[in-house]
Amino acid sequence: MNQLFSLLDSFLNRFLQSLLILITVVVSWQVFSRYVLGAPSSFTEELARFCLIWLTLLGCVFAYRKNSHLGLDMIYTQATATQRKVMYYFIHLCVATFALCVMVIGGYLLMDMTDQLGQSSAVMGIGISYVYMVVPISGILIVLYAIKAMLTPDFSVEESL
């Protein structure tokens, strides 16, 4: 199981790096084509926006996995060991429930609706359902990471930098 999550972590990390590189290249090309060539590229803004959506949602998954997401740990750090255990499971259960209900189910319904309506992007002609596909994917990954966190708990209190 740990090897599977290690592979998933590695793939997610590389995919996020690739998206960041792609956004940098696309936006650089947009600036170059507009100001140097005098003929702005039409697809770059749309592609950069779609990549940013994927980067943001999958970045949230990665941050949750690494426990580096924003959080209010004032109460958690002041709690006793027993209270920390209860809070730990409660937090991860809430995250998993939200991800399952809102991101997986809601994201799938949104994806299905845009697919049925045949919505596509204006310039590139990409189906919008492909852009929204990242919502249920991110939700599934968060649920998996929440389950892993509950199966292998870490009740330690880490100091923030």
Side-chain angles (χ1 to χ4, degrees):
M1 183 95 147
N2 285 336
Q3 189 176 10
L4 177 66
F5 278 102
S6 179
L7 285 171
L8 187 58
D9 289 345
S10 179
F11 175 77
L12 187 58
N13 188 14
R14 297 286 183 220
F15 190 71
L16 289 169
Q17 290 172 356
S18 299
L19 281 174
L20 191 57
I21 290 168
L22 181 61
I23 288 173
T24 304
V25 168
V26 166
V27 171
S28 297
W29 174 252
Q30 182 179 31
V31 170
F32 179 78
S33 66
R34 174 171 292 160
Y35 293 109
V36 176
L37 301 177
S41 181
S42 59
F43 76 95
T44 53
E45 182 182 342
E46 201 169 79
L47 181 59
R49 186 175 349 118
F50 295 160
C51 288
L52 188 61
I53 291 167
W54 276 69
L55 182 71
T56 301
L57 286 168
L58 291 174
C60 290
V61 173
F62 193 73
Y64 177 69
R65 169 69 173 128
K66 298 297 181 183
N67 199 24
S68 60
H69 54 85
L70 291 175
L72 197 59
D73 62 352
M74 216 171 10
I75 297 170
Y76 189 80
T77 56
Q78 302 298 319
T80 66
T82 305
Q83 291 169 333
R84 267 193 219 134
K85 287 179 183 179
V86 171
M87 283 189 260
Y88 181 89
Y89 287 111
F90 179 72
I91 290 166
H92 288 292
L93 185 63
C94 287
V95 168
T97 303
F98 175 84
L100 181 65
C101 294
V102 175
M103 296 179 77
V104 176
I105 296 170
Y108 173 77
L109 293 173
L110 177 65
M111 219 176 79
D112 186 51
M113 180 181 65
T114 56
D115 190 44
Q116 287 179 9
L117 293 173
Q119 291 182 345
S120 61
S121 65
V123 177
M124 296 173 54
I126 295 173
I128 296 298
S129 60
Y130 292 119
V131 178
Y132 290 156
M133 186 185 303
V134 72
V135 178
I137 289 172
S138 297
I140 290 168
L141 292 173
I142 288 174
V143 169
L144 288 175
Y145 284 135
I147 290 170
K148 181 176 185 334
M150 288 187 279
L151 293 177
T152 57
D154 179 16
F155 304 114
S156 64
V157 178
E158 296 179 9
E159 292 296 320
S160 301
L161 295 177

